[in-house]
Amino acid sequence: MMLKQKYGAKVFGVSISEKECEISNQVLEKCYQYDLENGLPFNFVDTFDVVLLSHVLEHICYPEKLLEDLKKVLKQNGIIIVALPNIMHYNSRLKLLLGNFEYTDKGIYDYTHFRWYTFKSAERLFNKHGFKTSIKDVTVSLPFGRILNRIKNEKIKIKITQFLKNISKGFFGWELVYVFQLSENEK
C-alpha cells in the first residue's frame, strides 16, 4: 500500500491462498490466486520495473519455469529483489551437525518449504537462468542473541553486524537478500 501511496506505483500480487488474495485485493491493483509452481499465471501486456520475491522460492519445488517467465515481464533495466532463508546459518548448521532436522510452523525449517538455499546456491540459480547479481547481502542474527540484544547502542550493533558479515555472510546470515537484473545477453 505504501508503494502505491508514496510512489504512485501499480502493485500486483500472486498468492496460492484465496484468503491472502481477498485481503490483498483491498490494497493492490490485483492479486492473482495461482500456484507459482506453474510459472506466472498470466500474460501481462505491461512489464515491471521491480519484481519482489520475498520468501517465495523456498516454497516452489521447481523454480525454473517461474524464473523463465520473469524474464518476459521484467523491463530492460528492471530488477528482481529476492529474500530467502539461509539453511547454512550457524544455528541451522549446529542443528544439522547434531542430526536434528525437525519441521516447524515457521522459520528455516517451515514445513511448507520444499527447497533450501545457501548464500552461493541462490545466486547460482539466478545466474544459471540469465540473471546477473547486482547486490548480494544478508540480514544477520547475532550469536549469543540474548546477550548481544541487550546492547542498546545501534552504532555498536551495526559494527558487530558488519564484522560478522565480513567474516562470513553464509555463516552468520539469517536471511539471504539479492537484487538481480537480466544479463546483457538476455535483454
Side-chain angles (χ1 to χ4, degrees):
M1 187 150 113
M2 184 170 48
L3 292 172
K4 284 177 69 171
Q5 290 174 342
K6 191 170 183 178
Y7 301 105
K10 289 185 178 180
V11 182
F12 296 87
V14 179
S15 177
I16 197 168
S17 166
E18 182 179 354
K19 184 176 182 179
E20 283 181 5
C21 276
E22 285 175 13
I23 295 167
S24 297
N25 275 324
Q26 296 173 22
V27 294
L28 302 180
E29 302 297 318
K30 173 110 175 109
C31 181
Y32 296 88
Q33 184 183 352
Y34 193 77
D35 183 354
L36 289 173
E37 190 74 53
N38 301 311
L40 291 177
F42 34 74
N43 291 321
F44 276 109
V45 177
D46 294 322
T47 53
F48 295 93
D49 296 306
V50 178
V51 173
L52 177 62
L53 295 175
S54 181
H55 295 273
V56 171
L57 292 178
E58 65 270 24
H59 300 276
I60 298 175
C61 295
Y62 304 102
E64 293 79 11
K65 174 77 170 111
L66 176 60
L67 295 180
E68 290 302 312
D69 284 356
L70 288 173
K71 288 194 278 190
K72 298 172 190 171
V73 300
L74 197 63
K75 285 186 178 177
Q76 185 169 359
N77 293 319
I79 61 171
I80 299 177
I81 302 170
V82 179
L84 297 161
N86 178 16
I87 189 67
M88 295 308 287
H89 178 266
Y90 71 86
N91 192 31
S92 180
R93 288 182 196 215
L94 180 60
K95 286 180 181 180
L96 292 171
L97 186 64
L98 297 173
N100 298 322
F101 187 100
E102 301 297 327
Y103 285 100
T104 59
D105 289 334
K106 60 184 180 178
I108 292 174
Y109 297 107
D110 185 313
Y111 69 93
T112 64
H113 290 182
F114 293 109
R115 293 180 65 116
W116 287 268
Y117 293 92
T118 68
F119 192 62
K120 292 179 182 177
S121 71
E123 182 178 25
R124 269 196 313 267
L125 174 69
F126 275 84
N127 293 166
K128 177 182 172 186
H129 287 279
F131 295 94
K132 66 180 180 181
T133 310
S134 298
I135 297 171
K136 54 183 173 181
D137 203 357
V138 295
T139 60
V140 171
S141 74
L142 299 176
F144 317 111
R146 289 185 185 144
I147 297 167
L148 290 175
N149 286 336
R150 291 181 183 167
I151 298 171
K152 300 299 181 207
N153 187 315
E154 286 302 314
K155 287 182 181 179
I156 292 174
K157 281 186 178 181
I158 290 169
K159 285 184 180 189
I160 292 171
T161 298
Q162 193 56 52
F163 174 73
L164 295 174
K165 283 183 185 184
N166 289 341
I167 293 172
S168 174
K169 288 181 180 178
F171 188 75
F172 291 106
W174 178 255
E175 179 182 54
L176 309 171
V177 181
Y178 304 89
V179 175
F180 296 105
Q181 292 181 292
L182 285 172
S183 298
E184 291 300 320
N185 56 350
E186 295 289 336
K187 293 182 179 180

